[in-house]
Short mmCIF file of all heavy atoms in Angstrom, two decimals:
data_model
loop_
_atom_site.label_atom_id
_atom_site.label_comp_id
_atom_site.label_asym_id
_atom_site.label_seq_id
_atom_site.Cartn_x
_atom_site.Cartn_y
_atom_site.Cartn_z
N VAL A 1 -158.54 292.46 158.20
CA VAL A 1 -157.65 291.84 157.21
C VAL A 1 -158.49 291.02 156.25
O VAL A 1 -159.59 290.56 156.58
CB VAL A 1 -156.58 290.95 157.87
CG1 VAL A 1 -155.68 291.77 158.77
CG2 VAL A 1 -157.23 289.83 158.67
N SER A 2 -157.98 290.81 155.05
CA SER A 2 -158.74 290.08 154.04
C SER A 2 -157.89 288.98 153.43
O SER A 2 -156.67 288.92 153.62
CB SER A 2 -159.21 291.03 152.94
OG SER A 2 -158.10 291.61 152.27
N ASP A 3 -158.55 288.12 152.66
CA ASP A 3 -157.84 287.09 151.90
C ASP A 3 -156.94 287.78 150.87
O ASP A 3 -157.25 288.87 150.38
CB ASP A 3 -158.82 286.18 151.18
CG ASP A 3 -159.57 285.26 152.12
OD1 ASP A 3 -159.39 285.41 153.34
OD2 ASP A 3 -160.34 284.42 151.63
N THR A 4 -155.85 287.13 150.53
CA THR A 4 -154.95 287.68 149.53
C THR A 4 -155.61 287.77 148.16
O THR A 4 -155.45 288.76 147.43
CB THR A 4 -153.67 286.82 149.43
OG1 THR A 4 -153.05 286.77 150.71
CG2 THR A 4 -152.70 287.40 148.41
N ARG A 5 -156.40 286.76 147.81
CA ARG A 5 -157.00 286.70 146.47
C ARG A 5 -158.45 287.20 146.42
O ARG A 5 -159.02 287.30 145.35
CB ARG A 5 -156.93 285.27 145.93
CG ARG A 5 -155.51 284.77 145.72
CD ARG A 5 -155.48 283.33 145.25
NE ARG A 5 -154.13 282.87 145.02
CZ ARG A 5 -153.32 282.42 145.97
NH1 ARG A 5 -153.75 282.37 147.23
NH2 ARG A 5 -152.10 282.02 145.69
N ASP A 6 -159.03 287.45 147.57
CA ASP A 6 -160.41 287.94 147.61
C ASP A 6 -160.51 288.98 148.72
O ASP A 6 -160.71 288.64 149.89
CB ASP A 6 -161.37 286.78 147.85
CG ASP A 6 -162.83 287.21 147.79
OD1 ASP A 6 -163.08 288.43 147.64
OD2 ASP A 6 -163.72 286.34 147.89
N LEU A 7 -160.38 290.24 148.36
CA LEU A 7 -160.33 291.31 149.37
C LEU A 7 -161.67 291.53 150.05
O LEU A 7 -161.74 292.26 151.05
CB LEU A 7 -159.86 292.61 148.70
CG LEU A 7 -158.47 292.56 148.07
CD1 LEU A 7 -158.09 293.93 147.52
CD2 LEU A 7 -157.43 292.10 149.09
N LYS A 8 -162.74 290.89 149.55
CA LYS A 8 -164.05 291.05 150.19
C LYS A 8 -164.21 290.11 151.39
O LYS A 8 -165.08 290.34 152.22
CB LYS A 8 -165.15 290.79 149.17
CG LYS A 8 -165.20 291.83 148.06
CD LYS A 8 -166.32 291.53 147.08
CE LYS A 8 -166.37 292.55 145.96
NZ LYS A 8 -167.46 292.26 144.98
N ARG A 9 -163.43 289.07 151.43
CA ARG A 9 -163.50 288.13 152.57
C ARG A 9 -162.57 288.63 153.66
O ARG A 9 -161.35 288.61 153.51
CB ARG A 9 -163.11 286.73 152.12
CG ARG A 9 -164.05 286.13 151.10
CD ARG A 9 -163.67 284.71 150.75
NE ARG A 9 -163.72 283.84 151.93
CZ ARG A 9 -163.39 282.55 151.91
NH1 ARG A 9 -162.97 281.98 150.79
NH2 ARG A 9 -163.47 281.84 153.01
N THR A 10 -163.15 289.08 154.76
CA THR A 10 -162.36 289.74 155.80
C THR A 10 -162.54 289.08 157.16
O THR A 10 -163.49 288.32 157.40
CB THR A 10 -162.74 291.22 155.91
OG1 THR A 10 -164.12 291.31 156.32
CG2 THR A 10 -162.55 291.94 154.60
N ALA A 11 -161.62 289.40 158.06
CA ALA A 11 -161.69 288.99 159.46
C ALA A 11 -161.11 290.12 160.30
O ALA A 11 -160.36 290.96 159.79
CB ALA A 11 -160.90 287.69 159.68
N THR A 12 -161.46 290.11 161.58
CA THR A 12 -161.03 291.19 162.47
C THR A 12 -159.99 290.69 163.46
O THR A 12 -160.13 289.60 164.03
CB THR A 12 -162.23 291.77 163.24
OG1 THR A 12 -163.18 292.28 162.30
CG2 THR A 12 -161.80 292.89 164.17
N ILE A 13 -158.94 291.49 163.65
CA ILE A 13 -157.94 291.23 164.69
C ILE A 13 -158.00 292.41 165.66
O ILE A 13 -157.67 293.54 165.30
CB ILE A 13 -156.52 291.11 164.10
CG1 ILE A 13 -156.46 289.95 163.08
CG2 ILE A 13 -155.50 290.89 165.21
CD1 ILE A 13 -155.12 289.84 162.37
N ASP A 14 -158.45 292.14 166.88
CA ASP A 14 -158.61 293.19 167.89
C ASP A 14 -157.49 293.08 168.91
O ASP A 14 -157.42 292.11 169.67
CB ASP A 14 -159.98 293.04 168.57
CG ASP A 14 -160.34 294.25 169.42
OD1 ASP A 14 -159.42 295.04 169.73
OD2 ASP A 14 -161.52 294.39 169.78
N PHE A 15 -156.60 294.07 168.91
CA PHE A 15 -155.46 294.05 169.84
C PHE A 15 -155.84 294.58 171.23
O PHE A 15 -154.98 294.62 172.11
CB PHE A 15 -154.31 294.88 169.25
CG PHE A 15 -153.77 294.32 167.97
CD1 PHE A 15 -154.10 294.88 166.75
CD2 PHE A 15 -152.94 293.21 167.98
CE1 PHE A 15 -153.61 294.37 165.55
CE2 PHE A 15 -152.44 292.68 166.80
CZ PHE A 15 -152.77 293.26 165.58
N ARG A 16 -157.10 294.94 171.41
CA ARG A 16 -157.56 295.36 172.74
C ARG A 16 -157.93 294.11 173.54
O ARG A 16 -159.07 293.90 173.94
CB ARG A 16 -158.75 296.30 172.61
CG ARG A 16 -158.44 297.60 171.87
CD ARG A 16 -159.69 298.37 171.56
NE ARG A 16 -160.61 297.61 170.73
CZ ARG A 16 -161.78 298.06 170.28
NH1 ARG A 16 -162.15 299.29 170.57
NH2 ARG A 16 -162.55 297.29 169.54
N PHE A 17 -156.94 293.31 173.77
CA PHE A 17 -157.08 291.97 174.34
C PHE A 17 -156.67 292.03 175.80
O PHE A 17 -155.57 292.49 176.13
CB PHE A 17 -156.20 291.00 173.54
CG PHE A 17 -156.36 289.56 173.88
CD1 PHE A 17 -157.35 288.80 173.28
CD2 PHE A 17 -155.52 288.95 174.79
CE1 PHE A 17 -157.49 287.45 173.57
CE2 PHE A 17 -155.65 287.61 175.09
CZ PHE A 17 -156.64 286.85 174.48
N ARG A 18 -157.53 291.53 176.69
CA ARG A 18 -157.26 291.66 178.12
C ARG A 18 -156.15 290.70 178.57
O ARG A 18 -156.15 289.52 178.20
CB ARG A 18 -158.52 291.40 178.93
CG ARG A 18 -158.42 291.89 180.39
CD ARG A 18 -159.75 291.73 181.11
NE ARG A 18 -160.83 292.41 180.41
CZ ARG A 18 -161.06 293.71 180.48
NH1 ARG A 18 -160.28 294.49 181.22
NH2 ARG A 18 -162.08 294.24 179.83
N LEU A 19 -155.24 291.21 179.38
CA LEU A 19 -154.14 290.42 179.94
C LEU A 19 -154.43 290.06 181.39
O LEU A 19 -155.43 290.50 181.97
CB LEU A 19 -152.83 291.20 179.82
CG LEU A 19 -152.43 291.60 178.39
CD1 LEU A 19 -151.15 292.43 178.41
CD2 LEU A 19 -152.26 290.37 177.50
N ALA A 20 -153.54 289.28 181.99
CA ALA A 20 -153.82 288.71 183.30
C ALA A 20 -153.83 289.73 184.43
O ALA A 20 -154.32 289.44 185.52
CB ALA A 20 -152.80 287.61 183.62
N ASP A 21 -153.29 290.93 184.21
CA ASP A 21 -153.34 291.96 185.26
C ASP A 21 -154.49 292.93 185.06
O ASP A 21 -154.61 293.92 185.79
CB ASP A 21 -152.01 292.73 185.31
CG ASP A 21 -151.78 293.59 184.07
OD1 ASP A 21 -152.45 293.33 183.04
OD2 ASP A 21 -150.95 294.51 184.13
N GLY A 22 -155.35 292.68 184.06
CA GLY A 22 -156.51 293.52 183.82
C GLY A 22 -156.30 294.56 182.74
O GLY A 22 -157.26 295.13 182.23
N ARG A 23 -155.05 294.84 182.39
CA ARG A 23 -154.79 295.81 181.32
C ARG A 23 -155.07 295.18 179.96
O ARG A 23 -155.18 293.96 179.83
CB ARG A 23 -153.34 296.29 181.36
CG ARG A 23 -152.99 297.12 182.58
CD ARG A 23 -151.58 297.65 182.47
NE ARG A 23 -150.62 296.56 182.32
CZ ARG A 23 -149.46 296.68 181.67
NH1 ARG A 23 -149.15 297.82 181.08
NH2 ARG A 23 -148.64 295.67 181.59
N LEU A 24 -155.15 296.02 178.95
CA LEU A 24 -155.30 295.54 177.58
C LEU A 24 -153.93 295.39 176.94
O LEU A 24 -152.97 296.05 177.34
CB LEU A 24 -156.16 296.51 176.77
CG LEU A 24 -157.59 296.74 177.27
CD1 LEU A 24 -158.33 297.70 176.34
CD2 LEU A 24 -158.35 295.43 177.40
N LEU A 25 -153.87 294.53 175.94
CA LEU A 25 -152.61 294.28 175.24
C LEU A 25 -152.02 295.58 174.69
O LEU A 25 -150.79 295.77 174.72
CB LEU A 25 -152.84 293.28 174.11
CG LEU A 25 -151.65 292.97 173.20
CD1 LEU A 25 -150.52 292.33 173.99
CD2 LEU A 25 -152.08 292.06 172.05
N VAL A 26 -152.85 296.48 174.20
CA VAL A 26 -152.34 297.73 173.61
C VAL A 26 -151.65 298.61 174.65
O VAL A 26 -150.91 299.54 174.30
CB VAL A 26 -153.48 298.52 172.94
CG1 VAL A 26 -153.98 297.79 171.71
CG2 VAL A 26 -154.63 298.78 173.93
N ASP A 27 -151.88 298.33 175.93
CA ASP A 27 -151.22 299.09 177.00
C ASP A 27 -149.93 298.43 177.47
O ASP A 27 -149.22 298.99 178.31
CB ASP A 27 -152.17 299.27 178.19
CG ASP A 27 -153.43 300.02 177.82
OD1 ASP A 27 -153.31 300.98 177.03
OD2 ASP A 27 -154.52 299.64 178.28
N ALA A 28 -149.64 297.24 176.97
CA ALA A 28 -148.40 296.53 177.31
C ALA A 28 -147.49 296.61 176.09
O ALA A 28 -147.53 295.76 175.19
CB ALA A 28 -148.68 295.08 177.69
N ASP A 29 -146.67 297.67 176.04
CA ASP A 29 -145.94 298.02 174.82
C ASP A 29 -145.12 296.87 174.24
O ASP A 29 -145.14 296.62 173.03
CB ASP A 29 -145.02 299.22 175.09
CG ASP A 29 -145.80 300.49 175.39
OD1 ASP A 29 -146.98 300.53 175.00
OD2 ASP A 29 -145.24 301.41 176.00
N ARG A 30 -144.39 296.18 175.09
CA ARG A 30 -143.45 295.18 174.57
C ARG A 30 -144.19 294.01 173.93
O ARG A 30 -143.84 293.56 172.83
CB ARG A 30 -142.54 294.70 175.70
CG ARG A 30 -141.80 295.82 176.41
CD ARG A 30 -141.02 295.32 177.59
NE ARG A 30 -139.71 294.81 177.18
CZ ARG A 30 -138.73 294.56 178.05
NH1 ARG A 30 -138.92 294.77 179.34
NH2 ARG A 30 -137.58 294.11 177.62
N LEU A 31 -145.20 293.51 174.61
CA LEU A 31 -145.96 292.39 174.06
C LEU A 31 -146.73 292.82 172.82
O LEU A 31 -146.77 292.09 171.82
CB LEU A 31 -146.91 291.84 175.12
CG LEU A 31 -146.28 291.07 176.28
CD1 LEU A 31 -147.33 290.72 177.33
CD2 LEU A 31 -145.60 289.79 175.79
N CYS A 32 -147.36 293.98 172.89
CA CYS A 32 -148.17 294.44 171.76
C CYS A 32 -147.31 294.66 170.52
O CYS A 32 -147.70 294.28 169.40
CB CYS A 32 -148.89 295.73 172.14
SG CYS A 32 -150.08 296.27 170.87
N ALA A 33 -146.14 295.25 170.69
CA ALA A 33 -145.25 295.49 169.55
C ALA A 33 -144.87 294.17 168.88
O ALA A 33 -144.86 294.05 167.65
CB ALA A 33 -144.00 296.24 170.01
N THR A 34 -144.55 293.15 169.70
CA THR A 34 -144.17 291.84 169.15
C THR A 34 -145.33 291.21 168.40
O THR A 34 -145.15 290.67 167.29
CB THR A 34 -143.70 290.91 170.28
OG1 THR A 34 -142.56 291.49 170.92
CG2 THR A 34 -143.33 289.55 169.74
N ILE A 35 -146.53 291.24 168.99
CA ILE A 35 -147.68 290.58 168.36
C ILE A 35 -148.08 291.29 167.07
O ILE A 35 -148.44 290.65 166.07
CB ILE A 35 -148.84 290.50 169.36
CG1 ILE A 35 -148.47 289.51 170.48
CG2 ILE A 35 -150.13 290.05 168.67
CD1 ILE A 35 -149.45 289.45 171.61
N LYS A 36 -148.00 292.62 167.05
CA LYS A 36 -148.31 293.34 165.80
C LYS A 36 -147.28 293.03 164.71
O LYS A 36 -147.64 292.84 163.54
CB LYS A 36 -148.36 294.85 166.07
CG LYS A 36 -149.70 295.34 166.60
CD LYS A 36 -149.84 296.83 166.38
CE LYS A 36 -151.28 297.27 166.56
NZ LYS A 36 -151.49 298.69 166.23
N GLU A 37 -146.03 292.95 165.10
CA GLU A 37 -145.00 292.58 164.12
C GLU A 37 -145.26 291.17 163.58
O GLU A 37 -145.13 290.92 162.38
CB GLU A 37 -143.61 292.65 164.77
CG GLU A 37 -143.13 294.05 165.07
CD GLU A 37 -142.41 294.65 163.88
OE1 GLU A 37 -141.44 294.02 163.39
OE2 GLU A 37 -142.80 295.73 163.43
N TYR A 38 -145.62 290.28 164.48
CA TYR A 38 -145.93 288.91 164.06
C TYR A 38 -147.11 288.91 163.09
O TYR A 38 -147.09 288.24 162.04
CB TYR A 38 -146.25 288.04 165.27
CG TYR A 38 -146.78 286.67 164.91
CD1 TYR A 38 -145.92 285.66 164.50
CD2 TYR A 38 -148.15 286.40 164.94
CE1 TYR A 38 -146.40 284.41 164.15
CE2 TYR A 38 -148.64 285.16 164.59
CZ TYR A 38 -147.77 284.16 164.20
OH TYR A 38 -148.25 282.93 163.84
N ALA A 39 -148.16 289.68 163.43
CA ALA A 39 -149.35 289.74 162.58
C ALA A 39 -149.01 290.28 161.20
O ALA A 39 -149.61 289.86 160.19
CB ALA A 39 -150.42 290.61 163.24
N TRP A 40 -148.05 291.19 161.13
CA TRP A 40 -147.64 291.75 159.83
C TRP A 40 -146.82 290.74 159.03
O TRP A 40 -147.11 290.45 157.87
CB TRP A 40 -146.85 293.04 160.04
CG TRP A 40 -146.19 293.55 158.79
CD1 TRP A 40 -144.89 293.35 158.39
CD2 TRP A 40 -146.81 294.31 157.75
NE1 TRP A 40 -144.66 293.95 157.18
CE2 TRP A 40 -145.82 294.56 156.75
CE3 TRP A 40 -148.09 294.82 157.55
CZ2 TRP A 40 -146.09 295.27 155.60
CZ3 TRP A 40 -148.35 295.54 156.39
CH2 TRP A 40 -147.35 295.76 155.43
N TRP A 41 -145.79 290.19 159.64
CA TRP A 41 -144.87 289.30 158.91
C TRP A 41 -145.45 287.92 158.64
O TRP A 41 -144.90 287.15 157.86
CB TRP A 41 -143.56 289.17 159.68
CG TRP A 41 -142.75 290.43 159.66
CD1 TRP A 41 -142.58 291.32 160.66
CD2 TRP A 41 -141.99 290.95 158.55
NE1 TRP A 41 -141.79 292.37 160.28
CE2 TRP A 41 -141.40 292.16 158.97
CE3 TRP A 41 -141.76 290.51 157.25
CZ2 TRP A 41 -140.60 292.93 158.15
CZ3 TRP A 41 -140.96 291.27 156.42
CH2 TRP A 41 -140.39 292.47 156.87
N LEU A 42 -146.58 287.60 159.28
CA LEU A 42 -147.19 286.29 159.06
C LEU A 42 -147.63 286.11 157.61
O LEU A 42 -147.71 284.98 157.12
CB LEU A 42 -148.39 286.12 160.00
CG LEU A 42 -149.01 284.72 160.07
CD1 LEU A 42 -147.99 283.69 160.55
CD2 LEU A 42 -150.23 284.72 161.00
N ARG A 43 -147.89 287.21 156.91
CA ARG A 43 -148.29 287.11 155.50
C ARG A 43 -147.08 287.02 154.56
O ARG A 43 -147.24 286.90 153.35
CB ARG A 43 -149.14 288.33 155.12
CG ARG A 43 -150.57 288.27 155.64
CD ARG A 43 -151.33 287.11 155.03
NE ARG A 43 -152.73 287.11 155.41
CZ ARG A 43 -153.72 287.65 154.71
NH1 ARG A 43 -153.47 288.26 153.57
NH2 ARG A 43 -154.95 287.59 155.15
N ASP A 44 -145.87 287.10 155.13
CA ASP A 44 -144.65 287.00 154.31
C ASP A 44 -144.41 285.51 154.00
O ASP A 44 -144.33 284.69 154.91
CB ASP A 44 -143.46 287.57 155.08
CG ASP A 44 -142.22 287.71 154.20
OD1 ASP A 44 -141.83 286.72 153.55
OD2 ASP A 44 -141.62 288.81 154.18
N PRO A 45 -144.29 285.13 152.70
CA PRO A 45 -144.12 283.71 152.35
C PRO A 45 -142.86 283.08 152.91
O PRO A 45 -142.73 281.86 152.92
CB PRO A 45 -144.11 283.73 150.82
CG PRO A 45 -143.77 285.14 150.44
CD PRO A 45 -144.34 286.01 151.52
N ARG A 46 -141.92 283.88 153.40
CA ARG A 46 -140.72 283.31 154.02
C ARG A 46 -141.03 282.67 155.37
O ARG A 46 -140.25 281.85 155.87
CB ARG A 46 -139.65 284.39 154.19
CG ARG A 46 -138.99 284.84 152.91
CD ARG A 46 -138.10 286.04 153.12
NE ARG A 46 -138.86 287.24 153.48
CZ ARG A 46 -138.32 288.43 153.66
NH1 ARG A 46 -137.02 288.59 153.53
NH2 ARG A 46 -139.08 289.47 153.97
N PHE A 47 -142.15 283.06 155.98
CA PHE A 47 -142.46 282.58 157.32
C PHE A 47 -143.72 281.72 157.39
O PHE A 47 -143.88 280.94 158.32
CB PHE A 47 -142.62 283.78 158.27
CG PHE A 47 -141.40 284.66 158.32
CD1 PHE A 47 -141.45 285.96 157.88
CD2 PHE A 47 -140.17 284.16 158.76
CE1 PHE A 47 -140.32 286.78 157.90
CE2 PHE A 47 -139.04 284.96 158.79
CZ PHE A 47 -139.11 286.27 158.36
#
């Protein structure tokens, strides 16, 4: 992802995040879907 006004300034969001049972977040559908939605809507000025 990048800054809104400077697309060259970037950061990485890795959803392959380990959970407490040893699985990765991408393998836990319900949690992963919520976090990805949050990551998308976080750039919406309403939120």
Side-chain angles (χ1 to χ4, degrees):
V1 298
S2 63
D3 289 5
T4 302
R5 295 178 179 83
D6 185 355
L7 299 183
K8 294 180 181 179
R9 296 183 61 182
T10 63
T12 300
I13 300 175
D14 192 344
F15 297 102
R16 298 170 301 181
F17 187 86
R18 196 175 304 280
L19 301 177
D21 68 342
R23 293 185 303 151
L24 300 181
L25 176 63
V26 292
D27 299 320
D29 293 339
R30 305 175 84 166
L31 289 173
C32 187
T34 299
I35 291 173
K36 276 200 165 186
E37 289 273 305
Y38 171 79
W40 170 263
W41 290 105
L42 190 60
R43 284 296 185 95
D44 190 308
R46 288 172 293 183
F47 303 116

